[in-house]
Amino acid sequence: MKNLKKIIGEDEIAARVDEIAARINRDYGGEELVVMCVLSGSVIFLADLIRRLDMPLTLDMISVTSYSGDETAPSRLKFLKMFSEDVRDRHVLVLDDICDTGATLDEIMRRVHAMRPKSVRACVLLDKPSRRVREVEPDYVAFDVPDKFVVGYGLDYNGRFRNLPYIAEVDGV
Ligand code: IMP
Ligand code: MG
């Protein structure tokens, strides 16, 4: 059993999701939105966030997996489930659990841009800015976290701990 240390509690998450939702509501001013959820880590954040959004919205789900690279072969993304919505001329908000190196978000944003949306922004629950290797900045970030492996509220370690209602650091990862 891994040692977990709680770093962000349920109440703190709920209060911050309220704030992020209020900002998104203000920024889009009632305009229709396509929320593009990156499976599976962002599903709990998605469920909590979209119930606080007041514009008409459509959900799309994508699933990606990354092969970690080295100096000769940078990490590559494989799309396990592709976009299904036609987002041309629509506002898109990409929702992910965490922006770490930025490789995932960078690639997704490029692909969404290529579909010529009216606008595209990114919202992440967690950001580890110290780990960034790609030039990508999420527009909405609930919490910055230090360079530690974190789980809970959707995030996993080897597929586990997604159901924790809070966010915790995992020892020795
Ligand atoms: P990237 O390095 O920004 O491309 O992040 C790739 C993916 O790795 C994220 O979408 C997460 O699914 C996963 N990831 C990165 N850091 C953590 C962590 O601390 N806990 C759980 N998953 C993580
Ligand atoms: Mg992910």
Side-chain angles (χ1 to χ4, degrees), residues 16-27 48-55 140:
R16 192 69 186 123
V17 174
D18 274 345
E19 288 174 10
I20 298 277
R23 271 187 52 205
I24 295 172
N25 283 330
R26 217 169 39 235
D27 290 353
D48 282 345
L49 184 76
I50 64 169
R51 284 178 293 170
R52 293 161 163 97
L53 297 182
D54 53 23
M55 73 285 281
Y140 307 97

Side-chain angles (χ1 to χ4, degrees), residues 80-98:
L80 303 175
K81 184 191 176 301
M82 258 298 179
F83 314 95
S84 9
E85 285 291 317
D86 180 2
V87 301
R88 193 184 175 101
D89 292 326
R90 300 166 79 187
H91 294 296
V92 178
L93 183 65
V94 175
L95 204 71
D96 205 356
D97 53 359
I98 185 166

Side-chain angles (χ1 to χ4, degrees), residues 56-173:
L57 68 81
T58 311
L59 275 187
D60 200 359
M61 308 269 184
I62 60 177
S63 178
V64 298
T65 181
S66 51
Y67 302 101
S68 51
D70 52 37
E71 279 114 65
T72 54
S75 53
R76 300 230 358 235
L77 274 201
K78 185 179 170 201
F79 281 69
L80 303 175
K81 184 191 176 301
M82 258 298 179
F83 314 95
S84 9
E85 285 291 317
D86 180 2
V87 301
R88 193 184 175 101
D89 292 326
R90 300 166 79 187
H91 294 296
V92 178
L93 183 65
V94 175
L95 204 71
D96 205 356
D97 53 359
I98 185 166
C99 188
D100 184 31
T101 65
T104 305
L105 200 54
D106 187 49
E107 176 70 21
I108 293 169
M109 298 296 272
R110 278 171 204 277
R111 296 214 187 196
V112 176
H113 267 297
M115 297 189 287
R116 306 198 167 277
K118 195 184 280 180
S119 74
V120 53
R121 288 184 180 149
C123 173
V124 295
L125 176 69
L126 304 176
D127 192 6
K128 279 186 198 169
S130 62
R131 295 254 307 157
R132 199 76 90 254
V133 298
R134 296 286 185 86
E135 261 184 50
V136 58
E137 281 313 317
D139 301 274
Y140 307 97
V141 174
F143 301 98
D144 279 354
V145 287
D147 183 11
K148 298 274 170 56
F149 201 85
V150 292
V151 294
Y153 197 73
L155 289 99
D156 74 304
Y157 172 65
N158 287 343
R160 295 188 49 210
F161 305 118
R162 293 195 197 276
N163 53 321
L164 288 179
Y166 52 85
I167 294 161
E169 282 177 14
V170 188
D171 254 8
V173 177

